[in-house]
Short mmCIF file of all heavy atoms in Angstrom, two decimals:
data_model
loop_
_atom_site.label_atom_id
_atom_site.label_comp_id
_atom_site.label_asym_id
_atom_site.label_seq_id
_atom_site.Cartn_x
_atom_site.Cartn_y
_atom_site.Cartn_z
N ARG L 426 -8.97 22.61 -11.50
CA ARG L 426 -9.11 23.90 -10.82
C ARG L 426 -7.68 24.46 -10.50
O ARG L 426 -7.38 24.94 -9.45
CB ARG L 426 -9.98 23.81 -9.64
CG ARG L 426 -11.39 23.53 -9.89
CD ARG L 426 -12.28 23.46 -8.64
NE ARG L 426 -12.25 24.76 -7.95
CZ ARG L 426 -12.98 25.84 -8.31
NH1 ARG L 426 -13.86 25.69 -9.39
NH2 ARG L 426 -12.94 26.96 -7.64
N GLY L 427 -6.75 24.27 -11.50
CA GLY L 427 -5.51 24.94 -11.27
C GLY L 427 -4.56 24.24 -10.39
O GLY L 427 -3.54 24.80 -9.98
N GLU L 428 -4.74 22.93 -10.12
CA GLU L 428 -3.75 22.02 -9.43
C GLU L 428 -3.45 20.81 -10.18
O GLU L 428 -4.36 20.27 -10.89
CB GLU L 428 -4.30 21.73 -8.05
CG GLU L 428 -4.45 22.87 -7.05
CD GLU L 428 -3.13 23.49 -6.57
OE1 GLU L 428 -2.11 22.85 -6.74
OE2 GLU L 428 -3.12 24.54 -6.12
N TRP L 429 -2.20 20.37 -10.09
CA TRP L 429 -1.86 19.04 -10.78
C TRP L 429 -2.20 17.90 -9.77
O TRP L 429 -1.94 17.98 -8.64
CB TRP L 429 -0.42 18.96 -11.04
CG TRP L 429 0.18 19.82 -12.16
CD1 TRP L 429 1.13 20.75 -12.03
CD2 TRP L 429 -0.24 19.72 -13.53
NE1 TRP L 429 1.34 21.31 -13.27
CE2 TRP L 429 0.61 20.73 -14.24
CE3 TRP L 429 -1.10 19.02 -14.22
CZ2 TRP L 429 0.48 20.94 -15.64
CZ3 TRP L 429 -1.27 19.17 -15.66
CH2 TRP L 429 -0.41 20.14 -16.32
N TYR L 430 -2.67 16.83 -10.38
CA TYR L 430 -2.91 15.57 -9.65
C TYR L 430 -2.37 14.39 -10.42
O TYR L 430 -2.48 14.40 -11.72
CB TYR L 430 -4.50 15.38 -9.44
CG TYR L 430 -5.07 16.35 -8.50
CD1 TYR L 430 -5.72 17.47 -8.97
CD2 TYR L 430 -5.13 16.11 -7.15
CE1 TYR L 430 -6.29 18.43 -8.18
CE2 TYR L 430 -5.73 17.03 -6.24
CZ TYR L 430 -6.35 18.20 -6.79
OH TYR L 430 -6.93 19.09 -6.02
N VAL L 431 -1.93 13.35 -9.79
CA VAL L 431 -1.54 12.11 -10.48
C VAL L 431 -2.77 11.33 -10.89
O VAL L 431 -3.79 11.22 -10.10
CB VAL L 431 -0.71 11.21 -9.53
CG1 VAL L 431 -0.32 9.91 -10.32
CG2 VAL L 431 0.53 11.96 -9.01
N VAL L 432 -2.84 10.98 -12.16
CA VAL L 432 -3.95 10.14 -12.57
C VAL L 432 -3.35 8.68 -13.00
O VAL L 432 -4.08 7.70 -12.94
CB VAL L 432 -4.75 10.78 -13.77
CG1 VAL L 432 -3.97 10.87 -14.97
CG2 VAL L 432 -6.16 10.05 -13.87
N HIS L 433 -2.13 8.68 -13.52
CA HIS L 433 -1.43 7.45 -13.77
C HIS L 433 0.00 7.60 -13.33
O HIS L 433 0.69 8.54 -13.68
CB HIS L 433 -1.37 7.18 -15.25
CG HIS L 433 -2.67 7.04 -15.95
ND1 HIS L 433 -3.54 5.98 -15.71
CD2 HIS L 433 -3.31 7.90 -16.83
CE1 HIS L 433 -4.62 6.11 -16.47
NE2 HIS L 433 -4.56 7.30 -17.11
N LEU L 434 0.35 6.73 -12.35
CA LEU L 434 1.69 6.85 -11.78
C LEU L 434 2.77 6.09 -12.65
O LEU L 434 3.72 6.52 -13.18
CB LEU L 434 1.74 6.40 -10.32
CG LEU L 434 3.07 6.41 -9.58
CD1 LEU L 434 3.70 7.83 -9.57
CD2 LEU L 434 2.92 5.91 -8.23
N GLY L 435 2.60 4.79 -12.67
CA GLY L 435 3.64 3.94 -13.38
C GLY L 435 3.37 3.79 -14.90
O GLY L 435 4.43 3.80 -15.55
N ALA L 436 2.17 3.79 -15.38
CA ALA L 436 1.92 3.69 -16.78
C ALA L 436 0.49 4.02 -17.15
O ALA L 436 -0.39 3.94 -16.30
CB ALA L 436 2.13 2.21 -17.27
N ILE L 437 0.36 4.57 -18.43
CA ILE L 437 -0.97 4.84 -18.89
C ILE L 437 -1.63 3.53 -19.52
O ILE L 437 -2.64 3.08 -19.09
CB ILE L 437 -0.92 6.00 -19.86
CG1 ILE L 437 -0.51 7.27 -19.20
CG2 ILE L 437 -2.35 6.23 -20.49
CD1 ILE L 437 -0.28 8.49 -20.12
#
Side-chain angles (χ1 to χ4, degrees):
R426 296 183 60 80
E428 292 290 345
W429 288 123
Y430 294 92
V431 179
V432 70
H433 299 289
L434 179 57
I437 297 174

